[in-house]
Amino acid sequence: MSNANSAPARFNVPLTVRLILLAAFGARAFGLGAQSLWYDEAVSLFLARQPVADLIAHTAGDIHPPLYYLLLHYWLAWAGASEFAAAFFSLFFGVLMVAIGFRLARDWFGAPTAALAAFLLAISSFQLWYAQEIRMYTLAGSLVLLSLWLVERIWRAGFSVRRKAFWTFSAAYAATVALGLYTHYYFVFLWVAEFSYVAILLLIDHVAWRAGGRRIAHAFKRLRGRNRANLAPEQPATASGGTALAARRVWRAAAAIVQHPLVLWCVVQVGVIALFAPWLPTAVRQAIDPPVPPWRSVVALSDALAEAIYALAYGQSMPRAYASDLLVGLVLLLCVLALASTVRRPRGTDGRGIAGLWLLVLSTAVPFALIMLASARVPLFHVRYMFIFSGAFAIVAAAGLALIARRSPLVTVLLLGILLGGMAYADIGRRNAPEYAKDDYRSAVAYIEERIRPGDAILINAGYIYPAFVYYYRGPIAWRGRLTDYPAAHTDGLVVAQTGSLDASPNLGWGSAASDFYGTDETASAAALDQLLRDHPRLWVLRANDTVNDPHGFIRDYLAKNMIAVDEITVPGESYVKVQTFVARGVALNAFGVATVPGQAFSGRIELAGYAGPPTVTSDDKLDITLYWKALAPIDVDYHVSVGLYDARGRRWSAVDGVPVGRLIPTGDWTIGQVLPDAWRLHVPRGTPPGTYNVLVTLYDPSGGRPVPVANGVDGVRARAGQVQIARPASTGGSSLWPPRPVFGSVLALDRVELSAGPVKPGASVHAELLWNAFKTPAGDMIVGLTLVDDRGRQWAAQELAPVEGRYPASQWSGGEYVADSHDLPVPADVPNGSYHVMLALFAARNHEVLAARAGWWPLTADSIELGTVTIQGRERVMQAPASIGNAAHVRFGDSALLVGYDIGRAPAVAASNVLTATLYWQSLSAAKANYKVFVHVVGNNEQIVGQKDGEPGAGAYPMTGWIEGEYLIDSYRVELPPNLAAGAYTVYIGMYDPVTTTRLAIMDVDGKPAGDRWRLASLQWP
C-alpha cells in the first residue's frame, strides 16, 4: 500500500483535510446543546462543577475514573456551564478524532484512503451522536486512535534499547494508555488487544527471534561452561577471576534478555501500570465491588453483535430491518475484503500497513469479545461503549472501499453511496425520532419549577436523577439529602429527598454517607415518608428507572395508599421520566398556618375552606398561594377555577385559570368532607402600585363559561380568598438610556404603551396601559392628559386624571422605580367612523404646567406625544320602534334606558333545551355615565339563583355610553339552566349594575314609582 508521500499530485491533501475537518465541525455544531441533558450528562456537569477535591472523592465512590470530569471542570470555569458550552468540549475531541484518524490512516494506507476514512468519521451518525453528548466518549475515542498511532510509531522506530525514538514513542504510548484508563475503564480492553497483538508479532517475527532469541541461548550456553576451562593452563584459577568472568557473562545474558523486543514491550506496559498506580486500588475496588446498584441486563451475543455492527457502520439510531441487515452485510464485506488483501503483501510496500490493518480490526473485535466474555459474570455491554473503538472501524471500512476502487470505481461509488445513505438515514432518526430523544429533564424540572409552591417537598431517585434536577432547578433548596436522613419541620423551603435502594446490601455505596446510593428497607423508608408527609401536604415525585432502586414498587404503593395523585406527566425519552404530584389525604387546616375562609360556598356544594399565602410581596415578583377546598355535597360538574389579583377599585392585575387541585382529580371525583390543597402562582406585574390587593376566586363550568354562584361573595360569583400587600421592590431596576423612550421634563420616561386592539365603538373607551419609569423622584404630583384627535387636529375627546387614579401620587415615586398606570378615554357617541390619534401630555398638578415631551433622543420638544392610532367604528342606529315586540313594557332603568318590551320564549322550548333566551327591547333616554351591565336571573322560591347571565348590551356591541337619545336596541341573553332542575315555579328578573362598583340602577315602573333594583320579567313553570 502507498504511503502519504505517494499521493497523486492532483490530490491536495492539506485542502482536503481542512474541508473534512470543517464539515466535521459543522455537522457536530448543528443543534449542539438543543436537547435536554439526560441523567449521565447531568452527572458530568454536577461533578465538573464541584471543587476538585470533592470531584475526585465523589468519583472514587462512583464507577468511572476522574480525568474527564477534571478536564471538564477547568473547561467550564472558562467557557461557562450551559449545555452548549459543556457539549462543545465533547465536540472538540470529536473533531480531533477525525484529525487523528486521518493521520493514522495516512501513515498506514496513504492519503486517499486516509481522506475517505476521515470523511466517514466526519459524517457518521454514531460519531455525531457522541460528539454532542456531555460524556467522556470522544475523549476516550481520541486516545484510542492516538494509542494505535503510537503503536505504529513504536513499531517503525524498532525495539532497541539504544534508539531514542523507541523510548520517546514508548513513553508517549504509556502516557496515552494511562490517560485512557483514567478516562474510561473499558480502555483496558484495547490495551489488552494492543499488547497481545504486538507481542504475537514479535514472537513470530523471524528477524527479532534470530537476533534476540539465539543470542540469549548462546549467552546461557557459555554461562553453563566451567569458568576454569576458559582460563589459560599456565594461569591458575582464582576465585576472584572466576567470579568476575561469571558476572560478566550474567550481565551479557541479562542485557540480551532486556534487549529482546518482547521484553522491551513488556517494560512499556510496566510504565502504563506505574502511571495508573495511584488510581489502581480504587479502580479494582470499583470493578470487584461496584458502589452502584446493577442496572444493566444481560444482552444475548447475537443481539449485542448486531447492535454493535449497526452502530459502528451507520449509527446507533439505525433501525434493525431486513434492508438494513443487507447494509450491515455490506460493511462486513468491506472489512473482509480489506483483510483479504493482506494475505499477499502488495509489491512495493513495507508491510507496516498490513500489520496495521489487522491491528485496527482487532482493536474493535477484541474489546467486544472481552466485554461479552466479562458479561458472563457482570453485564457490561452497552452499544455506546463501542463508540470508544469506532474510529478504527471507520478506517477499516475505508481501506476496503479503497481496495475495491482499484478494481471497479463504479462499484465503489455505488457502495459508498449506500453507506452514506445509511448514515444519513440513521442521523435523521437520531435527530427526529421520539425513541432516540434524550430524556427531557429540562421540561420535567421546568414543569415542577413553575408549579412548585412553598411548603412542598420532592422525592427523587437517588444517584440517577438528582443531578439533572439540581442543574435545571433555579429556585432555592432548603434541604437535600437521603430520605432516611430527613429531619423534621423543613417547611421554610423546598425539601429534596433522595430515595435509597430497597432491600439492597448495606454495603451499597461502600457504606459511605457521601455516596449517591445507599441500601435501605421498607420499614426505614416508610418511617421517613410518614415524617415527610406530616410536614408537607403536597409531594412531588420525579421518577425514572425507579425499578432499579425499588424493584417491588414499595414507594409507589405507599404513595397510592397514603396520598392522592392529582397530576402526572411523562416527558419524552427512553426512560419514561414521570413527574407526579400528590396531596395528603385529609389535610388539617390548622396544621400549616392556613387562614380559614368560612361561609363561602359555591352553590352549596364546594366550600373555599382556607387560604395560605404571604402577607406581602413586591411588584414584578410571584405570588404563591394555596387554596383549600372542601366538597359539601356530590358534584356533577368538573369545574375550573379562576384566581385573580384585584385592587380596591376592582381592576384585575393578574389572573390564572385552570383545573383546581389537579387534572387527575376533577371536582366530580372529590370526596365529601375531604380538604384538598390547591396551589397557584400569580405573577405580580412590573410596576404594580403599592397597596392592598384582594385575591378573588371564581368557579365556572368550562363548557359554557358560566360562573358558579357563591354565598357571601364579592359580587355573587367571586369569593374573597385573602388579601396581600404589594410593596415597592427593594431594587427598582434603575433607568436606562436604551432603547430610546419618550421623556417628560427629564423626570419621567414612558417605558411601555399598549392601546386598545381592534376597532373601538362610539360610547366605549380607548384603553391605554402605561408603564412609567422615574429618573428621579418628581418634585410634585402629576396629571396625565389624554386626547383623541383626527388627522386635521380636531379634538373629539379629552380626559385628565392623576396616574394610578390618584392612589399612588407621583410625588411618592422613587428614582428608578417603575409604575404601571392605566387610563380609559371615553369616546363620545357622536364620533364619526375613522382613524384617530391618541395624544398624551403630562402636567404638574400644582400649576397645570406642561412638562416638555421629547421622543427619545430627538432634541426637539413638544407639549405632547402620540401614543398611537385607533379606529373608531360605529354601528347603524335604529330610531324607530321595532314592528313586533313580544310583550310590551314601560320600565325605566336609571336615567338612561327604557325597557319597552321583552320576549322569553315558550316554556316547552325552554324545558327541551335547558336554555332560557330573554330578548329585551330598549329605548335610549340618554348616553349613560358608565357601561352598565345587564343581568338576567332565574330565581326559585327560596331566592336561590338557578340560572344567571350577565353582560353588556349586545354582548358588548352596544355599550351604554354610546347610546344616543331616542334610538332602539334589541338585546338577547341565553341563560343556561341546570339539567337536573327541580320541578316548580321560578321567576325571571332583570336589572342593571355598574361593573366597577357593583351598584345597581334604580328602577321606575310605568307610573313613575320606584320599583327596587330588579324587575320581575316573567314567571316560569318547570318543566
Side-chain angles (χ1 to χ4, degrees), residues 232-254:
E234 64 274 20
Q235 295 176 344
T238 63
S240 60
T243 303
L245 182 61
R248 286 195 298 272
R249 290 174 176 172
V250 170
W251 173 256
R252 290 171 187 159

Side-chain angles (χ1 to χ4, degrees), residues 539-792:
L539 179 70
W540 294 80
V541 178
L542 182 58
R543 288 175 45 191
N545 295 328
D546 57 339
T547 54
V548 175
N549 283 359
D550 187 9
H552 304 297
F554 169 76
I555 292 179
R556 294 193 298 274
D557 294 342
Y558 176 95
L559 295 176
K561 179 180 179 181
N562 295 277
M563 302 198 79
I564 303 172
V566 299
D567 197 12
E568 177 180 299
I569 65 166
T570 302
V571 299
E574 64 178 359
S575 299
Y576 301 101
V577 178
K578 288 183 179 294
V579 176
Q580 297 174 298
T581 316
F582 295 85
V583 299
R585 295 182 181 273
V587 176
L589 292 177
N590 57 1
F592 303 100
V594 179
T596 56
V597 187
Q600 298 192 93
F602 292 86
S603 293
R605 298 183 179 183
I606 301 177
E607 181 184 10
L608 180 59
Y611 165 85
T616 304
V617 296
T618 62
S619 64
D620 199 19
D621 198 0
K622 60 181 180 293
L623 171 61
D624 290 331
I625 64 171
T626 302
L627 309 175
Y628 291 85
W629 301 100
K630 182 166 68 173
L632 304 177
I635 306 167
D636 52 7
V637 178
D638 292 334
Y639 293 114
H640 282 202
V641 65
S642 176
V643 184
L645 183 68
Y646 295 80
D647 61 22
R649 294 179 60 86
R651 178 191 171 186
R652 188 177 71 182
W653 287 82
S654 181
V656 62
D657 287 43
V659 178
V661 183
R663 294 175 299 171
L664 299 184
I665 181 168
T667 57
D669 294 342
W670 290 2
T671 302
I672 296 176
Q674 190 173 56
V675 176
L676 298 172
D678 182 21
W680 294 94
R681 172 170 291 167
L682 293 167
H683 177 69
V684 182
R686 188 179 199 181
T688 301
T692 302
Y693 290 76
N694 294 313
V695 177
L696 304 183
V697 179
T698 303
L699 277 182
Y700 63 93
D701 186 344
S703 60
R706 183 178 64 181
V708 180
V710 57
N712 301 323
V714 174
D715 53 6
V717 293
R718 292 183 296 177
R720 180 180 285 108
Q723 288 187 331
V724 61
Q725 291 289 327
I726 305 298
R728 177 188 299 167
S731 175
T732 56
S735 301
S736 174
L737 297 176
W738 185 263
R741 302 167 295 171
V743 176
F744 296 84
S746 300
V747 177
L748 297 177
L750 192 56
D751 193 75
R752 188 181 68 243
V753 176
E754 294 181 11
L755 292 178
S756 301
V760 179
K761 300 182 180 300
S765 296
V766 176
H767 184 72
E769 291 281 347
L770 311 176
L771 182 63
W772 298 101
N773 180 210
F775 291 110
K776 58 184 178 180
T777 301
D781 294 337
M782 299 291 174
I783 299 294
V784 176
L786 292 177
T787 54
L788 186 71
V789 299
D790 59 20
D791 291 334
R792 297 195 303 176

Side-chain angles (χ1 to χ4, degrees), residues 779-784 802-803 809-810 842-851:
D781 294 337
M782 299 291 174
I783 299 294
V784 176
L842 198 62
F843 307 95
R846 64 179 182 275
N847 56 11
H848 213 261
E849 178 183 353
V850 177
L851 272 70

